[in-house]
Amino acid sequence: FIIFFWFTSCIFGASVNADTVRPKNSIDHARELVNLKKYELALEALEPLIEQRIPDAINLLGVMYDYGFGVPLDDERSFKLYSEAAALGSIKAKYNKAVMLEYGEGTSANEQLAFQLYRETSDAGYAPGTYAVAHAYYYSIGTDSDYEEAEVYYQKAFDEGVKIAIIDLANLYHDWGMNSDAEKFISQALIQPNRTSDVYQTEDPNDLYFNSLKRVMTIIYSSQDRQNEAIPILRELVQEDEVLFGELSEDLANDLQNLAIAECATGHAAAGLLNLTKSIKIYDQIFDMKGWHHANALGNFGYCYSTNHQIDKAIEYTKSAIDAFEACCEESQIRRALYIGNLAEYYQDRDDFK
Protein backbone atom coordinates (compact mmCIF):
# COMPACT_ATOMS: atom_id res chain seq x y z
CA PHE A 1 0.00 0.00 0.00
CA ILE A 2 2.78 2.42 0.87
CA ILE A 3 4.57 1.91 -2.42
CA PHE A 4 1.33 2.23 -4.40
CA PHE A 5 0.35 5.47 -2.66
CA TRP A 6 3.83 6.90 -3.12
CA PHE A 7 3.78 5.96 -6.81
CA THR A 8 0.39 7.52 -7.49
CA SER A 9 1.05 10.62 -5.41
CA CYS A 10 4.29 11.33 -7.24
CA ILE A 11 2.31 11.15 -10.49
CA PHE A 12 -0.63 13.29 -9.44
CA GLY A 13 0.99 15.54 -6.83
CA ALA A 14 -0.61 16.68 -3.60
CA SER A 15 -4.30 16.29 -2.91
CA VAL A 16 -6.44 19.10 -4.21
CA ASN A 17 -9.33 21.11 -2.90
CA ALA A 18 -12.50 20.91 -4.92
CA ASP A 19 -12.70 24.71 -4.89
CA THR A 20 -9.26 25.12 -6.44
CA VAL A 21 -9.48 26.79 -9.86
CA ARG A 22 -7.02 25.96 -12.63
CA PRO A 23 -7.01 27.00 -16.28
CA LYS A 24 -9.24 24.50 -18.06
CA ASN A 25 -6.70 23.90 -20.80
CA SER A 26 -3.86 23.02 -18.42
CA ILE A 27 -2.37 19.68 -17.41
CA ASP A 28 -2.80 20.73 -13.76
CA HIS A 29 -6.55 21.02 -14.33
CA ALA A 30 -6.63 17.53 -15.84
CA ARG A 31 -4.69 16.13 -12.86
CA GLU A 32 -7.12 17.76 -10.46
CA LEU A 33 -10.07 16.18 -12.25
CA VAL A 34 -8.42 12.75 -11.95
CA ASN A 35 -7.77 13.36 -8.25
CA LEU A 36 -11.43 14.30 -7.85
CA LYS A 37 -12.43 11.13 -9.75
CA LYS A 38 -14.14 13.18 -12.46
CA TYR A 39 -12.68 10.95 -15.13
CA GLU A 40 -14.94 11.88 -18.06
CA LEU A 41 -14.12 15.54 -17.58
CA ALA A 42 -10.45 14.65 -17.22
CA LEU A 43 -10.51 12.86 -20.58
CA GLU A 44 -12.17 15.89 -22.18
CA ALA A 45 -9.53 18.18 -20.68
CA LEU A 46 -6.72 15.92 -21.91
CA GLU A 47 -7.94 15.64 -25.50
CA PRO A 48 -6.65 19.03 -26.79
CA LEU A 49 -3.43 18.65 -24.79
CA ILE A 50 -2.75 15.26 -26.35
CA GLU A 51 -3.45 16.69 -29.80
CA GLN A 52 -0.71 19.22 -29.01
CA ARG A 53 1.52 16.28 -27.97
CA ILE A 54 2.08 17.62 -24.45
CA PRO A 55 4.27 14.92 -22.84
CA ASP A 56 2.75 15.11 -19.34
CA ALA A 57 -0.76 14.87 -20.80
CA ILE A 58 0.14 11.70 -22.71
CA ASN A 59 1.71 10.33 -19.52
CA LEU A 60 -1.44 11.08 -17.51
CA LEU A 61 -3.58 9.26 -20.07
CA GLY A 62 -1.18 6.33 -19.69
CA VAL A 63 -1.74 6.41 -15.94
CA MET A 64 -5.49 6.29 -16.45
CA TYR A 65 -5.19 3.16 -18.60
CA ASP A 66 -2.63 1.74 -16.16
CA TYR A 67 -5.03 1.94 -13.20
CA GLY A 68 -8.40 1.88 -14.95
CA PHE A 69 -9.30 5.43 -13.98
CA GLY A 70 -12.44 6.05 -16.06
CA VAL A 71 -11.20 3.76 -18.86
CA PRO A 72 -10.71 -0.01 -19.17
CA LEU A 73 -7.46 -1.37 -17.76
CA ASP A 74 -5.07 -1.74 -20.68
CA ASP A 75 -1.40 -2.37 -19.83
CA GLU A 76 -0.29 -2.51 -23.45
CA ARG A 77 -1.86 0.82 -24.32
CA SER A 78 -0.51 2.31 -21.10
CA PHE A 79 3.02 1.18 -21.96
CA LYS A 80 2.77 2.67 -25.47
CA LEU A 81 1.57 5.99 -24.03
CA TYR A 82 4.38 6.04 -21.45
CA SER A 83 6.89 5.28 -24.20
CA GLU A 84 5.51 8.06 -26.40
CA ALA A 85 5.55 10.60 -23.56
CA ALA A 86 9.05 9.54 -22.51
CA ALA A 87 10.33 10.03 -26.06
CA LEU A 88 8.88 13.55 -25.95
CA GLY A 89 10.79 14.32 -22.77
CA SER A 90 8.53 13.39 -19.82
CA ILE A 91 10.67 12.17 -16.91
CA LYS A 92 7.62 10.83 -15.09
CA ALA A 93 6.66 8.81 -18.16
CA LYS A 94 10.19 7.43 -18.44
CA TYR A 95 9.95 6.29 -14.82
CA ASN A 96 6.50 4.73 -15.40
CA LYS A 97 7.83 2.95 -18.48
CA ALA A 98 10.71 1.57 -16.41
CA VAL A 99 8.30 0.20 -13.80
CA MET A 100 6.36 -1.67 -16.49
CA LEU A 101 9.58 -3.02 -17.98
CA GLU A 102 10.74 -4.23 -14.57
CA TYR A 103 7.55 -6.17 -13.91
CA GLY A 104 6.74 -7.16 -17.48
CA GLU A 105 3.41 -5.33 -17.56
CA GLY A 106 2.15 -4.38 -21.03
CA THR A 107 5.47 -5.51 -22.51
CA SER A 108 8.14 -8.16 -22.08
CA ALA A 109 10.10 -7.87 -18.85
CA ASN A 110 13.51 -6.24 -19.28
CA GLU A 111 15.16 -5.45 -15.95
CA GLN A 112 18.37 -4.19 -17.56
CA LEU A 113 16.53 -1.57 -19.60
CA ALA A 114 14.38 -0.70 -16.58
CA PHE A 115 17.51 -0.06 -14.51
CA GLN A 116 18.97 2.11 -17.28
CA LEU A 117 15.79 4.22 -17.37
CA TYR A 118 15.68 4.48 -13.58
CA ARG A 119 19.26 5.79 -13.66
CA GLU A 120 18.33 8.38 -16.29
CA THR A 121 15.38 9.64 -14.23
CA SER A 122 17.54 9.79 -11.11
CA ASP A 123 20.23 11.74 -12.99
CA ALA A 124 17.46 14.15 -14.03
CA GLY A 125 16.63 14.75 -10.36
CA TYR A 126 13.48 12.62 -10.17
CA ALA A 127 13.36 11.24 -6.62
CA PRO A 128 11.27 8.09 -7.33
CA GLY A 129 13.90 7.13 -9.92
CA THR A 130 16.63 7.56 -7.31
CA TYR A 131 14.75 5.29 -4.92
CA ALA A 132 14.27 2.71 -7.67
CA VAL A 133 18.01 2.74 -8.43
CA ALA A 134 18.75 2.10 -4.76
CA HIS A 135 16.32 -0.82 -4.76
CA ALA A 136 17.90 -2.19 -7.92
CA TYR A 137 21.37 -2.17 -6.37
CA TYR A 138 20.08 -3.76 -3.17
CA TYR A 139 17.98 -6.50 -4.79
CA SER A 140 20.08 -6.99 -7.95
CA ILE A 141 17.39 -5.81 -10.37
CA GLY A 142 18.90 -5.31 -13.81
CA THR A 143 22.35 -4.82 -12.31
CA ASP A 144 24.79 -6.53 -9.97
CA SER A 145 24.07 -6.29 -6.26
CA ASP A 146 26.05 -3.45 -4.70
CA TYR A 147 25.13 -2.52 -1.12
CA GLU A 148 27.45 0.47 -1.04
CA GLU A 149 25.77 1.98 -4.09
CA ALA A 150 22.39 1.10 -2.57
CA GLU A 151 23.36 3.07 0.54
CA VAL A 152 24.34 6.09 -1.56
CA TYR A 153 21.08 6.10 -3.51
CA TYR A 154 18.83 5.40 -0.51
CA GLN A 155 20.41 8.38 1.25
CA LYS A 156 20.02 10.51 -1.88
CA ALA A 157 16.38 9.47 -2.22
CA PHE A 158 15.68 10.36 1.40
CA ASP A 159 17.36 13.74 0.96
CA GLU A 160 15.15 14.29 -2.11
CA GLY A 161 12.02 13.64 -0.08
CA VAL A 162 11.32 9.89 -0.31
CA LYS A 163 10.68 9.27 3.37
CA ILE A 164 10.41 5.49 3.15
CA ALA A 165 14.07 5.35 2.08
CA ILE A 166 15.03 5.81 5.74
CA ILE A 167 13.49 2.40 6.45
CA ASP A 168 15.64 0.81 3.75
CA LEU A 169 18.74 2.56 5.10
CA ALA A 170 18.01 1.28 8.59
CA ASN A 171 17.49 -2.26 7.28
CA LEU A 172 20.73 -2.00 5.33
CA TYR A 173 22.71 -0.95 8.41
CA HIS A 174 21.00 -3.67 10.44
CA ASP A 175 22.09 -6.24 7.83
CA TRP A 176 25.65 -4.93 8.19
CA GLY A 177 25.47 -5.27 11.99
CA MET A 178 25.61 -1.48 12.36
CA ASN A 179 22.63 -1.40 14.71
CA SER A 180 23.61 1.85 16.42
CA ASP A 181 23.53 3.64 13.05
CA ALA A 182 20.23 1.99 12.14
CA GLU A 183 18.72 3.01 15.47
CA LYS A 184 19.96 6.57 15.00
CA PHE A 185 18.28 6.87 11.59
CA ILE A 186 14.96 5.50 12.85
CA SER A 187 15.01 7.71 15.97
CA GLN A 188 15.63 10.81 13.86
CA ALA A 189 12.84 9.91 11.45
CA LEU A 190 10.36 9.27 14.25
CA ILE A 191 10.83 12.78 15.64
CA GLN A 192 10.26 14.45 12.25
CA PRO A 193 6.47 14.01 11.82
CA ASN A 194 6.12 17.18 9.76
CA ARG A 195 8.70 16.30 7.11
CA THR A 196 6.80 16.34 3.82
CA SER A 197 7.52 16.57 0.15
CA ASP A 198 5.70 16.44 -3.16
CA VAL A 199 7.26 13.03 -3.71
CA TYR A 200 5.63 11.26 -0.79
CA GLN A 201 2.33 12.37 0.67
CA THR A 202 0.03 10.53 3.05
CA GLU A 203 -3.30 11.52 4.50
CA ASP A 204 -2.04 10.74 8.00
CA PRO A 205 1.75 10.87 8.44
CA ASN A 206 1.47 9.03 11.74
CA ASP A 207 0.05 5.77 10.39
CA LEU A 208 1.64 3.47 7.80
CA TYR A 209 5.00 5.17 7.37
CA PHE A 210 5.66 5.65 11.07
CA ASN A 211 4.40 2.18 11.90
CA SER A 212 6.96 0.80 9.44
CA LEU A 213 9.67 2.78 11.23
CA LYS A 214 8.56 1.38 14.56
CA ARG A 215 8.65 -2.18 13.25
CA VAL A 216 12.25 -1.76 12.11
CA MET A 217 13.11 -0.37 15.54
CA THR A 218 11.63 -3.44 17.25
CA ILE A 219 13.72 -5.71 15.00
CA ILE A 220 16.84 -3.80 16.03
CA TYR A 221 15.94 -4.00 19.73
CA SER A 222 15.16 -7.71 19.54
CA SER A 223 18.42 -8.49 17.74
CA GLN A 224 20.27 -6.85 20.64
CA ASP A 225 18.33 -8.69 23.38
CA ARG A 226 16.46 -5.49 24.21
CA GLN A 227 13.00 -7.03 24.03
CA ASN A 228 11.81 -4.99 27.02
CA GLU A 229 12.20 -1.89 24.84
CA ALA A 230 10.49 -3.58 21.89
CA ILE A 231 7.40 -4.70 23.84
CA PRO A 232 5.73 -1.29 24.41
CA ILE A 233 6.27 -0.38 20.73
CA LEU A 234 4.76 -3.68 19.58
CA ARG A 235 1.76 -3.22 21.89
CA GLU A 236 1.23 0.22 20.39
CA LEU A 237 1.46 -1.24 16.88
CA VAL A 238 -1.14 -3.91 17.71
CA GLN A 239 -3.57 -1.22 18.87
CA GLU A 240 -2.95 0.87 15.74
CA ASP A 241 -3.35 -2.18 13.48
CA GLU A 242 -6.80 -2.79 14.94
CA VAL A 243 -7.78 0.81 14.23
CA LEU A 244 -6.30 0.92 10.72
CA PHE A 245 -7.13 -2.56 9.45
CA GLY A 246 -9.66 -4.14 11.82
CA GLU A 247 -9.27 -7.48 13.56
CA LEU A 248 -8.42 -9.55 10.50
CA SER A 249 -5.19 -8.37 8.88
CA GLU A 250 -1.75 -9.83 8.23
CA ASP A 251 -0.10 -6.77 9.84
CA LEU A 252 -2.03 -7.39 13.06
CA ALA A 253 -1.13 -11.09 13.06
CA ASN A 254 2.55 -10.32 12.43
CA ASP A 255 2.73 -7.73 15.19
CA LEU A 256 0.90 -10.01 17.63
CA GLN A 257 3.37 -12.78 16.88
CA ASN A 258 6.41 -10.53 17.30
CA LEU A 259 4.93 -9.19 20.55
CA ALA A 260 4.40 -12.76 21.74
CA ILE A 261 8.01 -13.75 21.03
CA ALA A 262 9.30 -10.68 22.88
CA GLU A 263 6.99 -11.40 25.83
CA CYS A 264 8.13 -15.02 26.02
CA ALA A 265 11.78 -13.95 25.84
CA THR A 266 11.28 -11.68 28.87
CA GLY A 267 9.51 -14.17 31.13
CA HIS A 268 5.91 -13.35 30.20
CA ALA A 269 5.03 -16.67 28.60
CA ALA A 270 1.33 -16.59 29.55
CA ALA A 271 0.81 -13.28 27.73
CA GLY A 272 2.97 -14.49 24.85
CA LEU A 273 1.02 -17.71 24.38
CA LEU A 274 -2.25 -15.79 24.42
CA ASN A 275 -1.03 -13.42 21.68
CA LEU A 276 0.33 -16.34 19.65
CA THR A 277 -3.11 -17.97 19.83
CA LYS A 278 -4.69 -14.76 18.53
CA SER A 279 -2.16 -14.48 15.71
CA ILE A 280 -2.50 -18.07 14.47
CA LYS A 281 -6.31 -17.73 14.38
CA ILE A 282 -5.93 -14.67 12.13
CA TYR A 283 -3.37 -16.41 9.90
CA ASP A 284 -5.61 -19.44 9.50
CA GLN A 285 -8.52 -17.25 8.39
CA ILE A 286 -6.41 -15.28 5.90
CA PHE A 287 -4.14 -18.03 4.56
CA ASP A 288 -4.23 -21.77 4.02
CA MET A 289 -4.30 -23.37 7.48
CA LYS A 290 -1.52 -25.74 6.40
CA GLY A 291 0.67 -23.00 4.96
CA TRP A 292 3.87 -21.22 5.94
CA HIS A 293 2.37 -18.82 8.50
CA HIS A 294 0.66 -21.65 10.36
CA ALA A 295 3.85 -23.74 10.41
CA ASN A 296 5.95 -20.84 11.65
CA ALA A 297 3.45 -20.01 14.39
CA LEU A 298 3.64 -23.63 15.63
CA GLY A 299 7.41 -23.25 15.93
CA ASN A 300 6.98 -20.06 17.91
CA PHE A 301 4.58 -21.87 20.25
CA GLY A 302 7.38 -24.34 20.86
CA TYR A 303 9.79 -21.52 21.68
CA CYS A 304 7.34 -19.89 24.11
CA TYR A 305 6.67 -23.14 25.93
CA SER A 306 10.44 -23.67 26.25
CA THR A 307 10.87 -20.28 27.94
CA ASN A 308 8.22 -21.35 30.46
CA HIS A 309 10.10 -24.63 31.08
CA GLN A 310 7.27 -26.70 29.57
CA ILE A 311 9.69 -28.79 27.57
CA ASP A 312 7.29 -31.57 26.59
CA LYS A 313 4.93 -28.96 25.09
CA ALA A 314 7.88 -27.27 23.39
CA ILE A 315 8.88 -30.58 21.78
CA GLU A 316 5.30 -31.35 20.73
CA TYR A 317 4.76 -28.02 18.97
CA THR A 318 8.23 -27.91 17.42
CA LYS A 319 7.75 -31.38 15.94
CA SER A 320 4.43 -30.20 14.49
CA ALA A 321 6.16 -27.16 12.98
CA ILE A 322 8.86 -29.30 11.36
CA ASP A 323 6.25 -31.66 9.89
CA ALA A 324 4.14 -28.72 8.68
CA PHE A 325 7.10 -27.11 6.91
CA GLU A 326 8.00 -30.41 5.25
CA ALA A 327 4.42 -30.81 4.04
CA CYS A 328 3.77 -27.27 2.81
CA CYS A 329 6.89 -25.40 1.99
CA GLU A 330 9.82 -27.01 0.25
CA GLU A 331 11.35 -23.55 -0.25
CA SER A 332 11.49 -23.01 3.55
CA GLN A 333 14.04 -25.68 4.44
CA ILE A 334 16.22 -23.14 6.26
CA ARG A 335 13.30 -22.30 8.56
CA ARG A 336 12.63 -26.03 9.04
CA ALA A 337 16.30 -26.57 9.88
CA LEU A 338 16.09 -23.81 12.49
CA TYR A 339 13.29 -25.63 14.28
CA ILE A 340 15.16 -28.95 14.04
CA GLY A 341 18.00 -27.19 15.90
CA ASN A 342 15.53 -25.92 18.49
CA LEU A 343 14.14 -29.44 18.89
CA ALA A 344 17.63 -30.78 19.61
CA GLU A 345 18.06 -28.12 22.31
CA TYR A 346 14.73 -29.04 23.91
CA TYR A 347 15.70 -32.73 24.04
CA GLN A 348 18.98 -31.69 25.62
CA ASP A 349 17.07 -29.67 28.21
CA ARG A 350 15.16 -32.89 29.00
CA ASP A 351 18.48 -34.76 29.24
CA ASP A 352 17.37 -36.93 26.33
CA PHE A 353 20.71 -37.01 24.51
CA LYS A 354 19.79 -40.04 22.43
Side-chain angles (χ1 to χ4, degrees):
F1 175 85
I2 292 178
I3 297 297
F4 173 79
F5 195 96
W6 165 58
F7 174 65
T8 55
S9 64
C10 74
I11 292 170
F12 298 129
S15 61
V16 295
N17 188 308
D19 296 328
T20 302
V21 177
R22 300 281 191 183
K24 290 190 176 182
N25 61 345
S26 72
I27 184 63
D28 289 336
H29 177 62
R31 287 196 190 101
E32 288 175 2
L33 291 170
V34 173
N35 277 321
L36 295 169
K37 299 182 180 180
K38 297 181 178 181
Y39 301 128
E40 289 186 12
L41 293 175
L43 289 168
E44 290 178 12
L46 282 173
E47 187 174 352
L49 300 174
I50 291 172
E51 288 178 358
Q52 298 171 49
R53 294 177 60 77
I54 305 296
D56 284 345
I58 299 170
N59 174 66
L60 184 54
L61 184 61
V63 171
M64 295 180 74
Y65 279 104
D66 199 351
Y67 291 96
F69 292 158
V71 293
L73 282 168
D74 190 334
D75 286 347
E76 290 186 7
R77 186 166 184 180
S78 180
F79 180 77
K80 290 177 181 177
L81 288 165
Y82 288 152
S83 299
E84 181 182 350
L88 291 169
S90 171
I91 298 300
K92 290 181 181 179
K94 184 178 288 189
Y95 171 84
N96 293 339
K97 178 182 179 180
V99 172
M100 299 195 84
L101 282 164
E102 179 184 345
Y103 293 101
E105 297 174 349
T107 187
S108 300
N110 188 331
E111 291 185 348
Q112 289 75 23
L113 180 54
F115 175 71
Q116 177 185 326
L117 295 177
Y118 285 143
R119 282 291 300 264
E120 290 176 8
T121 62
S122 175
D123 292 344
Y126 191 55
T130 301
Y131 183 71
V133 171
H135 246 40
Y137 278 124
Y138 188 85
Y139 292 104
S140 186
I141 300 170
T143 187
D144 294 333
S145 179
D146 189 328
Y147 289 165
E148 292 182 357
E149 283 294 295
E151 178 191 13
V152 170
Y153 278 92
Y154 279 136
Q155 182 65 63
K156 184 172 182 279
F158 180 72
D159 292 340
E160 291 174 347
V162 184
K163 295 200 298 183
I164 54 174
I166 199 71
I167 299 171
D168 299 280
L169 272 173
N171 280 323
L172 186 62
Y173 289 134
H174 175 63
D175 290 345
W176 286 345
M178 299 166 62
N179 285 310
S180 60
D181 290 300
E183 185 176 344
K184 178 185 71 175
F185 271 103
I186 296 297
S187 298
Q188 288 175 348
L190 283 170
I191 61 175
Q192 297 181 38
N194 295 319
R195 178 184 172 90
T196 59
S197 92
D198 289 338
V199 176
Y200 186 98
Q201 312 252 353
T202 62
E203 294 177 4
D204 182 355
N206 296 312
D207 51 22
L208 299 172
Y209 165 65
F210 285 98
N211 285 355
S212 296
L213 292 174
K214 292 172 189 175
R215 288 189 183 95
V216 176
M217 186 68 90
T218 64
I219 292 170
I220 294 167
Y221 284 155
S222 296
S223 70
Q224 297 176 314
D225 293 325
R226 296 163 62 188
Q227 286 89 348
N228 280 322
E229 294 175 73
I231 286 173
I233 301 175
L234 285 164
R235 286 176 177 163
E236 182 181 330
L237 284 168
V238 166
Q239 292 177 348
E240 292 179 1
D241 289 339
E242 291 173 343
V243 172
L244 288 168
F245 308 116
E247 297 182 357
L248 193 65
S249 74
E250 185 178 356
D251 280 336
L252 176 58
N254 291 341
D255 287 331
L256 279 168
Q257 189 155 203
N258 291 331
L259 173 59
I261 294 167
E263 288 171 332
C264 292
T266 53
H268 301 92
L273 288 166
L274 179 61
N275 283 322
L276 271 177
T277 300
K278 292 178 182 177
S279 72
I280 199 170
K281 285 181 178 178
I282 296 172
Y283 284 137
D284 288 349
Q285 291 182 69
I286 298 175
F287 303 105
D288 182 352
M289 187 172 178
K290 298 179 181 179
W292 188 95
H293 292 86
H294 183 88
N296 192 56
L298 291 174
N300 286 327
F301 268 108
Y303 167 73
C304 277
Y305 278 117
S306 75
T307 65
N308 203 37
H309 307 292
Q310 295 176 263
I311 302 303
D312 288 342
K313 281 280 192 182
I315 290 173
E316 175 190 343
Y317 274 94
T318 305
K319 279 184 172 180
S320 296
I322 292 167
D323 291 342
F325 272 116
E326 185 172 17
C328 81
C329 319
E330 291 183 2
E331 72 280 4
S332 297
Q333 292 308 303
I334 292 176
R335 178 69 61 166
R336 180 171 176 270
L338 169 67
Y339 288 125
I340 292 172
N342 287 354
L343 183 61
E345 290 184 10
Y346 303 153
Y347 277 126
Q348 183 174 326
D349 290 340
R350 204 173 67 175
D351 294 329
D352 188 347
F353 294 100
K354 182 176 179 180

